[in-house]
Amino acid sequence: NAGVTQTPKFRILKIGQSMTLQCTQDMNHNYMYWYRQDPGMGLKLIYYSVGAGITDKGEVPNGYNVSRSTTEDFPLRLELAAPSQTSVYFCASSTPDRHEAFFGQGTRLTVV
Amino acid sequence: KNEVEQSPQNLTAQEGEFITINCSYSVGISALHWLQQHPGGGIVSLFMLSSGKKKHGRLIATINIQEKHSSLHITASHPRDSAVYICAAHPPIGGATNKLIFGTGTLLAVQP
């Protein structure tokens, strides 16, 4: 079982560059999430989606965009990378009752 | 003050010791997750519980809803248990948000 797959695992961006973090899940979960994890801090929710075509902002959405054209895929877009976006990013999906969560392996992003 | 607090933040133990990590929360929840994150690795869900106790191998998780407190115990600890352990509170189903509220994690190092 693939579960939740994130790509890339590592990336270095220059300030002002853009990139898309890919996330796909093969469990047919409606709920998907993007989190960022900063040192010494708990995971913070960036965006989430309750189903294809539906997305909503989390706690820290500024500087990011998402789309959900299919149930499987939930890409996260950084349009103008800033040093403050240096972080580890996790994609997750959850079961219909939203109780069991599955996380991707994470993407370590450095903006220089 | 964070809505989900973990203690201790850092824990060093000798192989074979019994370990307890605590999680207190100040919000209403429908469930609480315990997650494990190995250095440089992804996040794995260990337990989801809404009452009582769950056991999986050497890991035991308990929750006291009235006291808003959960504990994760590791019996006969081993160096491979070294990881960050994160608790996350799940808001009530049907509430205004799907957001998991994360603690900042407990860094456990088990020395041989």
Side-chain angles (χ1 to χ4, degrees), chain A residues 35 37 45 90 97-99, chain B residues 33 37 90 93 98-99:
Chain A
Y35 297 95
Q37 184 182 41
L45 182 65
F90 288 95
D97 62 7
R98 293 173 288 148
H99 275 178
Chain B
H33 293 262
Q37 184 178 25
H90 200 297
I93 300 287
N98 295 316
K99 292 187 301 181

Side-chain angles (χ1 to χ4, degrees), chain A residues 1-110:
Chain A
N1 290 334
V4 179
T5 303
Q6 275 183 251
T7 56
K9 288 189 177 179
F10 304 94
R11 184 73 185 268
I12 298 175
L13 278 183
K14 293 184 178 178
I15 294 171
Q17 286 185 321
S18 61
M19 76 164 294
T20 299
L21 282 68
Q22 301 291 344
C23 176
T24 188
Q25 51 91 9
D26 62 357
M27 297 171 283
N28 203 34
H29 289 166
N30 283 333
Y31 290 87
M32 295 188 73
Y33 313 84
W34 273 106
Y35 297 95
R36 58 177 288 171
Q37 184 182 41
D38 300 312
M41 308 285 286
L43 280 81
K44 299 292 185 185
L45 182 65
I46 304 170
Y47 270 94
Y48 68 98
S49 169
V50 301
I54 306 169
T55 63
D56 210 345
K57 296 177 180 179
E59 299 173 77
V60 289
N62 292 342
Y64 307 95
N65 279 300
V66 293
S67 60
R68 186 91 183 273
S69 56
T70 66
T71 299
E72 294 78 19
D73 300 308
F74 190 41
L76 177 72
R77 178 96 179 146
L78 284 72
E79 290 293 350
L80 290 170
S84 61
Q85 293 177 304
T86 295
S87 189
V88 181
Y89 292 83
F90 288 95
C91 178
S93 70
S94 62
T95 52
D97 62 7
R98 293 173 288 148
H99 275 178
E100 193 166 9
F102 297 82
F103 287 81
Q105 287 295 304
T107 297
R108 187 172 296 274
L109 175 68
T110 303

Side-chain angles (χ1 to χ4, degrees), chain B residues 47 53-56 58-62 71-73 75:
Chain B
F47 293 104
K53 180 169 89 171
K54 286 190 176 181
K55 185 176 188 291
H56 182 69
R58 296 180 294 105
L59 301 178
I60 303 167
T62 64
S71 293
L72 177 68
H73 307 285
T75 61

